[in-house]
Amino acid sequence: MNQGIIIYKSKYGSAKKYAHWLRDLTGFDCLEASKAAWNRADACDTILFCGGIYASGIAGLSSLKKNLPCWKDKKILVLCVGASPYEEAAFAEIRQHNMTGYLKEIPLFYGRGAWDESRMTFVDRILCGMLQKSLAKKDPDAYEPWMEALLSSAGQVCDWTDKKYLVPLLDALNSNSCSD
């Protein structure tokens, strides 16, 4: 068997950036999520999946979940990438929402992504704008960290990607246990 593979699903590039950093750090093949990529994972001992967070869902995770029954003997780790700063309660919600069924026992890690409205689809730009307007009406003292980040990022180009977010994932990858 091959050592490992990195499969990613990235809409705006941050998950792809983390996947490529992981490729450089591990030597694993790195492929964008597709049927062919998932088929290649069959021959690997380790599968690292990176996906962006959109509307609290992790992109591409359904494909991983579909293949999990065949991969009980593999080491699998998931990195989700979002624009919000890491916050434990929000991360727990992402885990609860996404890591269900077969995915429940798989370690989940977080990497902060980027924000660039000019690269967003028209629909994403409209939805984010509506959310920003809605949040602006709230009492600033009641803002959660993600709300502050969303409002302060409006009209800005921000890149928070950082290899430091990969350290916990790499530690788990190099350990015998995959608990996060």
Side-chain angles (χ1 to χ4, degrees):
M1 277 202 195
N2 293 334
Q3 189 178 1
I5 191 168
I6 302 158
I7 299 175
Y8 68 90
K9 181 75 172 176
S10 187
K11 192 171 184 180
Y12 296 114
S14 294
K16 179 180 181 178
K17 187 176 192 179
Y18 280 109
H20 285 210
W21 282 342
L22 283 168
R23 177 197 61 205
D24 295 344
L25 293 166
T26 64
F28 294 174
D29 286 341
C30 181
L31 301 167
E32 189 166 7
S34 67
K35 186 174 181 178
W38 294 115
N39 289 342
R40 284 198 42 203
D42 288 340
C44 296
D45 296 318
T46 302
I47 301 166
L48 306 181
F49 176 74
C50 302
I53 300 171
Y54 307 103
S56 76
I58 301 172
L61 201 60
S62 60
S63 295
L64 175 64
K65 189 174 188 175
K66 181 173 52 175
N67 290 291
L68 275 178
C70 303
W71 295 339
K72 293 182 191 256
D73 61 334
K74 298 182 186 303
K75 189 173 203 175
I76 302 171
L77 298 97
V78 174
L79 174 71
C80 60
V81 180
S84 296
Y86 177 83
E87 200 270 321
E88 197 165 327
F91 183 68
E93 286 180 29
I94 293 292
R95 170 176 272 299
Q96 183 178 2
H97 178 76
N98 291 278
M99 305 304 279
T100 60
Y102 295 121
L103 297 171
K104 199 169 197 138
E105 301 304 316
I106 292 178
L108 178 66
F109 302 90
Y110 184 81
R112 191 160 185 204
W115 179 268
D116 184 350
E117 293 167 10
S118 70
R119 296 186 66 209
M120 290 182 185
T121 65
F122 176 75
V123 172
D124 286 351
R125 219 174 18 257
I126 294 298
L127 291 173
C128 287
M130 289 171 46
L131 182 56
Q132 288 166 332
K133 285 181 184 180
S134 170
L135 292 175
K137 296 175 186 176
K138 287 184 163 231
D139 177 6
D141 292 334
Y143 287 165
E144 295 179 37
W146 71 267
M147 295 174 182
E148 290 178 22
L150 180 64
L151 290 171
S152 67
S153 301
Q156 305 291 318
V157 174
C158 306
D159 184 351
W160 302 286
T161 57
D162 193 317
K163 289 180 183 176
K164 72 180 180 187
Y165 291 110
L166 298 177
V167 171
L169 184 148
L170 292 168
D171 288 345
L173 179 63
N174 293 321
S175 75
N176 290 333
S177 162
C178 269
S179 59
D180 57 1

